[in-house]
Amino acid sequence: MTLTIDVGNSNIAGGVFDGDKLILQFRQTTHRNSTSDEIGIFLRSVLRENSIDPAKITQIGICSVVPQINYSLSSAILKYFGCEPLFIQAGIKTGLKLKVANPKEVGADLIANGIGAASIHNDKDIIIVDLGTATTIQALSKDKDFLGVSILPGLKMSVQSLADGTSKLPNVEIIKADKACGTATIESIQSGIYFGTAGAIKEISQKIKTEVFKDSKPFIIGTGGFTRIFESYGIFDQIIPELTLYGVKKAIELNKKGTK
């Protein structure tokens, strides 16, 4: 079995694959100061609670955008699972060509999402929208060229910035807004965050299409924690919440010894 881990700024998402089938997903708040023992015990416990023997985990891949936790995470994997994890990072095999000014600047999450999308739709030009702590909108050609990315504040970050930067605006729940013209403060903030993000995604996706895909109509994939609230908005051709985990699994396959 394969354990895949996606370390984000807000949450750690994990998945267990039995062959090509994703049989378990779990989520934990990201704690940057966690010790290796805390991480290892948590991982083994969540597997056991879901009737999976930790001894059956034979390979582990990690996508992390939180460098502070990487050492503890790597140590936990070695101590509690007896194997060395594969980190998504510069120098590993990805199957992608990073057509950017500095490939080392490309985040592990963007690489994992690109690997996952290319493995699922290998004949399409793709725009990947990841709605996490930050919202990223990246372009991937059908030739597996990573063409660039647009980054903007995520929904939770936007809500928090309004609450922190004003005296009277509260922190609100992030939900699908029913109307643009709110008639109460909470409703108005939810409207602005929801429709503002939707509008940004549509505008940036259209600009990317014009700039890099020309006459092609890219396939738009949505992923990340807040994607589902836009499901009925018609922005995405497909929603794949587990895209990063699939990308990590594919990276493990690409980097097995003997793989060209």
Side-chain angles (χ1 to χ4, degrees):
M1 291 185 180
T2 302
L3 173 62
T4 57
I5 300 172
D6 174 21
V7 183
N9 288 290
S10 300
N11 295 289
I12 296 175
V16 176
F17 289 85
D18 188 358
D20 290 329
K21 185 177 181 181
L22 183 59
I23 62 171
L24 172 66
Q25 292 185 72
F26 58 88
R27 189 173 292 270
Q28 166 84 332
T29 301
T30 302
H31 299 292
R32 287 166 170 76
N33 296 320
S34 294
T35 67
S36 58
D37 288 323
E38 288 171 337
I39 295 170
I41 290 169
F42 164 73
L43 291 173
R44 288 178 67 91
S45 296
V46 77
L47 294 176
R48 289 197 182 103
E49 288 297 320
N50 288 277
S51 302
I52 296 174
D53 182 356
K56 291 186 177 179
I57 301 296
T58 58
Q59 50 189 8
I60 298 174
I62 299 170
C63 168
S64 173
V65 297
V66 185
Q68 300 96 314
I69 203 173
N70 290 354
Y71 179 79
S72 292
L73 188 54
S74 180
S75 298
I77 299 303
L78 285 168
K79 180 176 179 179
Y80 287 88
F81 292 90
C83 65
E84 186 171 343
L86 173 74
F87 278 86
I88 306 298
Q89 59 189 349
I92 71 165
K93 297 176 184 177
T94 64
L96 307 179
K97 290 162 280 187
L98 304 181
K99 304 287 188 175
V100 294
N102 186 354
K104 291 183 179 180
E105 288 182 351
V106 179
D109 54 338
L110 298 173
I111 294 174
N113 284 341
I115 297 171
S119 68
I120 296 169
H121 296 290
N122 60 12
D123 59 343
K124 291 181 172 68
D125 292 325
I126 302 171
I127 290 176
I128 306 164
V129 181
D130 190 342
L131 289 147
T133 302
T135 295
T136 60
I137 306 170
Q138 69 185 92
L140 184 72
S141 78
K142 59 187 174 183
D143 297 321
K144 299 184 181 179
D145 293 336
F146 179 96
L147 301 172
V149 61
S150 182
I151 303 173
L152 59 151
L155 283 84
K156 187 175 180 180
M157 187 180 295
S158 297
V159 168
Q160 191 65 51
S161 69
L162 282 175
D164 291 345
T166 63
S167 299
K168 298 184 70 174
L169 294 182
N171 206 325
V172 303
E173 181 185 4
I174 298 168
I175 62 171
K176 177 184 179 296
D178 294 323
K179 58 183 181 180
C181 191
T183 54
T185 299
I186 290 176
E187 185 182 70
S188 299
I189 296 171
Q190 290 170 330
S191 166
I193 296 297
Y194 179 77
F195 290 110
T197 300
I201 292 170
K202 291 179 72 174
E203 176 69 11
I204 294 171
S205 295
Q206 180 58 41
K207 289 287 188 183
I208 288 175
K209 176 185 179 298
T210 302
E211 289 175 6
V212 301
F213 291 127
K214 309 302 181 185
D215 298 326
S216 168
K217 181 182 179 182
F219 190 82
I220 302 180
I221 296 174
T223 191
F226 293 110
T227 314
R228 288 293 183 191
I229 67 172
F230 295 99
E231 191 165 10
S232 63
Y233 202 87
I235 300 175
F236 308 118
D237 295 306
Q238 185 179 9
I239 291 175
I240 311 176
E242 314 86 3
L243 183 65
T244 309
L245 300 180
Y246 280 106
V248 173
K249 178 182 178 295
K250 182 64 177 178
I252 292 172
E253 295 171 2
L254 290 170
N255 286 273
K256 283 182 179 178
K257 289 182 180 180
T259 303
K260 294 183 179 180

